Amino acid sequence: MRGIAEQAEQGPDDTVRTGISVAAIKRDFIDNLYYIQARFPDVAGDYDYYQALAYTVRDRLLKRWIRSAQTFKDTAARTVCYLSAEFLLGPHLEANLLNLDIAGQVRQALQELDLDLDRLIRVEEEPGLGNGGLGRLAACYMESLATLQVPTIGYGIRYEFGIFKQEIRDGWQVERTDKWLRFGNPWEIPRPTITFDVKFGGHTETWTDDRGRYRVRWIPVREVRGVAYDTPILGYGVKTANLLRLWTAEAVESFDFQAFNVGDYYRAVDEKVLSESISKVLYPNDEPLVGKTLRLAQQYLFVSCSLQDMIRIHLQVPGMDVRGFHNKYAVQLNDTHPSIAVAELMRLLLDEHLLGWDEAWEITRQTFGYTNHTLLPEALESWPLPLFQRVLPRHLELIYEINRRFLDAVRDRYPGDAGLAARLSLIDEAGDKRVRMANLACAGSHSINGVAALHTELLKTHVLRDFYRLWPERFSNKTNGVTLRRFLLLANPVLSALISEQIGAGWIRHSEELLRLEPLATDAGFRRRWRGAKRANKVRLAAYVQAQTGIELDPDWLFDIQAKRIHEYKRQHLNVLHVVTHYLRLKQYPGFEAPPRAVLFAGKAAPGYFMAKRIIKLINSVAGVVNADPEVNARLKVVFLPNFCVKQAQLVYPAADLSEQISLAGMEASGTGNMKFALNGALTIGTLDGANIEIRDAVEPENFHLFGLNVDQVQATRAAGYRPRELYESNPRLKAVIDRIGDGHFSHGDRELFRPLVDALLYHDHYLLCADYDSYIACQDEAGRAYSDPDNWTRRSILNVARSGGFSSDRAIHQYCEDIWRVTPLPMALE
Ligand code: NBG
């Protein structure tokens, strides 16, 4: 008898279950409707059809996935592990159809069954396991890693509730929980046998083992079990399928038996609820984390499970030793959220695998790379010492010891510089003591990188300057990138088809080939077709806007769009100042020459972020007045599009003429929406901030609308004692705009509603809106004039796409592989 290994060797029988002919797909779809959904067509609805289709697609990708896993195991390949508290994947179905290259057959098969693929694609609830740019970057990187055939595991948290759903009621943001798992998730495979128990709280004890070794034992108050859920991530145009492994928290025992025995049934169940609460909900990224014990528990749970899992996989191969851990894995810390990994790997190596300190530290440091994603001081994570001690007593000891050795070395090198040691310390000793996670990440990594050229420079000169002084060789820049498969090919099929028709389809994997569009920018016929594609996308968005908000938009207007998280530093309210300026002007001078403009906003505010929520209310209030005013609404409209998410983003980017990237210089680490807009042929109006600078260099200054202070001028303005009130008093136009907002013009006479915003502008204006106001308005007017020359605008739009290929995540991942991870592709055999 042949064993299962041998018999399963060939994988499933293609003709029966995973064939890709229209007939095979149809057969499998009908089977899945029957055997998985238990439905017959008379009673089946779109949800059942979606599920049946999802399983039909999944059946076809499992083979690649299993083969990839097998190959990685057989070759003991060096593997990238991307540790991230967020993965904002977006809907799976369409992406998987694309990467399996079966969309055509599937559409046909469904058609033959009188079903419409696009309708079923819209049924999918996207997994919103991230806040914004950082989580979406992780998803783009996973896709590029698979496309570049780099063995990778993404590790994160399977939040039961992802980012909240945003509704707008009476102009205010209202949050609703995101029950994305309500109908099940066909794209994940639960692994109830891959679990790790993770300790929390309690205390430590030292003892001496029978070989006379000093040992530490951690006696926790609680253990929680992390259970793996796996999602395959396909590459485009290759057979590689990588693994995204997300952890869910479960109670170690469903019941606390002690409590159960004394008859305290409810307390026993409480314990279960408490454990499971750890992976319940995603935290917003822009609210202070005060007292968020659960957040630290989340971070530790996923990091500990992930590292234990890596060790398990590594030791599966006969002859492997934990000492080779850093040769097997390159682990990237996506911001500080997983930085507890530095202490946890030390704990595992010291306490569980009994290595000596120096050896363990060397392995740890060679394992990790740290990516910083923020310059905002308030966003640099640190945990109050008592909280940290309460949750992770053993890790605090380890951090103290890492810190002692680290600071000793610093003092040796820079004797007498007490300030330096205090700034580098992993513990903030000033005031309430805190553990500084960025310092832990820096100390424990061989590589530290920023996400755009300016950002990396500012890390070196400001945020991490002391670390840069210590280890300049560890710093590098890796400018962010986005996957063109999702954000151009899927999001913008019309433009993609036009591009491929002209220059072939090579750009999809080799984005630099977009450059071949350059000469076409001067071709009038091509420009006409380009404009047609843009218009089609605007028609598509306008229909969506109408369905969502009831507001009617004319696709021949200038579509001016700002879509991103709502934050004061991103300055959506500067955009509003322009809208109000334009509105007042149109009312005062009806002959004012400017193209009609639709200004669209989209983005969520953190639920506890007072000012951001007021900004949303302001946008909607201004929209209410402008859109209802017959004197202006034939030339200006304002829309707030609720619930920005990946699905919606795919409709928004392709329809933009003008992309608003207007953060105060020195605040936005990179931005990635800026890249997505440019790649879809929008021209940017922006500051010299984040990756805007590199976009402007790439597309060339004449194809970018620049305004505002640069970083040096921002610093100088502040240093000179910035007084926004004086700017307001001396600038009648600005004064009129702010006065209308303050005097109730947009709030039915209510002068209190926007007072917090007005006062912030007049008395603090931390993000220098007043300073950048004139420059912004002049630039908007310039952009309006430029738009009035459609031919030239289109030429510049084409050049933006042609020259933005460098912002592909393939380029970024290639750089990470070469410079930081030292990992090479492992091509998967073709079938
Ligand atoms: C964000 C930055 C963006 C950047 C993304 C991805 C965090 C902490 N940072 O500018 O604000 O594009 O990260 O790097 O979410």
Side-chain angles (χ1 to χ4, degrees), residues 133-134 137 285 373 451 480 569 668-672:
L134 173 138
L137 185 78
N285 63 351
H373 291 268
V451 291
N480 284 165
Y569 86 77
E668 189 71 88
S670 162
T672 45

Side-chain angles (χ1 to χ4, degrees), residues 4 20 27 42 57 155 233 237 261 322 483 490 494 516 562 566 588 631 700 715:
I4 174 128
I20 58 168
R27 182 72 255 151
D42 279 358
V57 174
Y155 281 112
I233 307 289
N261 286 338
V322 77
T483 169
L490 279 185
V494 186
R516 292 166 53 189
Q562 186 169 18
I566 311 293
Q588 239 177 332
E631 279 175 30
E700 295 192 3
Q715 279 166 11

Side-chain angles (χ1 to χ4, degrees), residues 701-733:
E702 70 117 355
N703 303 308
F704 185 107
H705 291 278
L706 178 70
F707 75 96
L709 302 175
N710 65 24
V711 167
D712 293 339
Q713 292 164 333
V714 167
Q715 279 166 11
T717 304
R718 285 187 174 148
Y722 178 57
R723 277 179 294 277
R725 175 105 214 188
E726 288 172 10
L727 292 174
Y728 159 86
E729 299 289 0
S730 63
N731 184 338
R733 188 170 61 172

Side-chain angles (χ1 to χ4, degrees), residues 540-801:
R540 183 176 69 158
L541 181 64
Y544 176 81
V545 167
Q546 167 125 49
Q548 298 296 311
T549 67
I551 300 170
E552 217 176 306
L553 296 181
D554 181 336
D556 291 319
W557 289 23
L558 190 173
F559 278 26
D560 167 351
I561 310 188
Q562 186 169 18
K564 52 181 78 243
R565 285 296 281 244
I566 311 293
H567 207 295
E568 287 159 284
Y569 86 77
K570 296 178 189 281
R571 303 200 294 189
Q572 280 89 357
H573 47 336
L574 178 60
N575 193 341
V576 174
L577 293 184
H578 168 251
V579 170
V580 174
T581 305
H582 196 47
Y583 160 79
L584 293 177
R585 208 156 52 181
L586 290 176
K587 284 201 75 91
Q588 239 177 332
Y589 315 103
F592 185 81
E593 255 188 61
R597 211 189 255 250
V599 183
L600 287 91
F601 294 83
K604 293 173 182 176
Y609 188 171
F610 174 86
M611 282 297 205
K613 293 180 122 174
R614 272 294 130 133
I615 290 173
I616 293 178
K617 175 66 176 167
L618 174 64
I619 294 168
N620 282 308
S621 301
V622 171
V625 170
V626 169
N627 298 348
D629 186 338
E631 279 175 30
V632 293
N633 67 12
R635 302 177 62 190
L636 177 65
K637 278 193 182 171
V638 182
V639 175
F640 188 92
L641 202 46
N643 203 38
F644 189 57
C645 55
V646 179
K647 225 179 189 177
Q648 186 184 100
Q650 292 180 208
L651 296 173
V652 167
Y653 298 124
D657 295 306
L658 193 60
S659 152
E660 298 275 347
Q661 307 301 334
I662 60 177
S663 54
L664 176 67
M667 304 307 301
E668 189 71 88
S670 162
T672 45
N674 47 5
M675 303 170 183
K676 296 165 193 167
F677 277 110
L679 279 161
N680 281 282
L683 269 66
T684 305
I685 180 165
T687 49
L688 288 177
D689 198 17
N692 294 354
I693 298 177
E694 289 152 86
I695 293 176
R696 179 168 172 267
D697 288 345
V699 306
E700 295 192 3
E702 70 117 355
N703 303 308
F704 185 107
H705 291 278
L706 178 70
F707 75 96
L709 302 175
N710 65 24
V711 167
D712 293 339
Q713 292 164 333
V714 167
Q715 279 166 11
T717 304
R718 285 187 174 148
Y722 178 57
R723 277 179 294 277
R725 175 105 214 188
E726 288 172 10
L727 292 174
Y728 159 86
E729 299 289 0
S730 63
N731 184 338
R733 188 170 61 172
L734 174 61
K735 183 168 186 305
V737 169
I738 294 182
D739 287 350
R740 283 299 79 71
I741 294 172
D743 71 12
H745 186 83
F746 299 106
S747 43
H748 308 288
D750 182 346
R751 296 167 158 267
E752 293 310 308
L753 186 58
F754 299 125
R755 186 184 294 279
L757 286 170
V758 168
D759 284 354
L761 282 183
L762 295 187
Y763 302 108
H764 315 283
D765 194 18
H766 190 63
Y767 300 105
L768 307 192
L769 280 77
C770 295
D772 272 349
Y773 171 78
D774 270 338
S775 165
Y776 182 53
I777 301 298
C779 194
Q780 283 284 20
D781 290 347
E782 174 60 42
R785 279 192 295 276
Y787 186 75
S788 304
D789 175 356
D791 230 27
N792 196 36
W793 183 276
T794 308
R795 184 184 65 80
R796 298 161 74 220
S797 164
I798 296 168
L799 291 177
N800 261 265
V801 177

Side-chain angles (χ1 to χ4, degrees), residues 343-504:
E344 173 66 358
L345 185 56
M346 284 300 282
R347 187 190 71 81
L348 290 166
L349 296 176
L350 294 170
D351 296 357
E352 313 263 324
H353 295 272
L354 309 184
L355 267 54
W357 184 279
D358 290 334
E359 201 178 8
W361 183 243
E362 200 46 37
I363 293 170
T364 298
R365 241 187 18 76
Q366 290 197 41
T367 295
F368 293 112
Y370 160 52
T371 305
N372 173 290
H373 291 268
T374 185
L375 292 161
L376 303 184
E378 68 268 26
L380 284 181
E381 276 189 306
S382 70
W383 296 102
L385 212 66
L387 186 158
F388 199 95
Q389 161 96 56
R390 210 169 344 104
V391 180
L392 301 172
R394 176 59 182 142
H395 296 77
L396 189 59
E397 290 174 0
L398 290 166
I399 287 171
Y400 280 145
E401 183 59 16
I402 294 169
N403 202 33
R404 189 183 66 75
R405 291 168 183 250
F406 170 49
L407 294 184
D408 279 352
V410 169
R411 288 189 202 98
D412 273 358
R413 221 173 118 181
Y414 300 97
D417 195 341
L420 179 67
R423 292 193 303 274
L424 285 168
S425 174
L426 309 191
I427 310 292
D428 182 354
E429 304 273 357
D432 293 339
K433 292 190 181 174
R434 305 177 78 90
V435 184
R436 294 165 163 159
M437 301 311 273
N439 294 34
L440 177 63
C442 285
S445 299
H446 64 87
S447 154
I448 301 164
N449 76 282
V451 291
L454 172 69
H455 172 231
T456 301
E457 282 316 302
L458 292 172
L459 288 180
K460 290 180 186 172
T461 52
H462 292 83
V463 183
L464 301 176
R465 58 189 276 207
D466 296 310
F467 284 97
Y468 181 63
R469 184 170 161 204
L470 223 50
W471 304 311
E473 71 287 354
R474 290 192 197 173
F475 282 72
S476 74
N477 177 54
K478 296 288 169 284
T479 298
N480 284 165
V482 303
T483 169
L484 271 61
R485 269 77 63 183
R486 185 176 286 275
F487 288 106
L488 189 45
L489 193 54
L490 279 185
N492 199 341
V494 186
L495 192 68
S496 298
L498 179 59
I499 294 172
S500 295
E501 182 196 305
Q502 297 294 322
I503 64 167

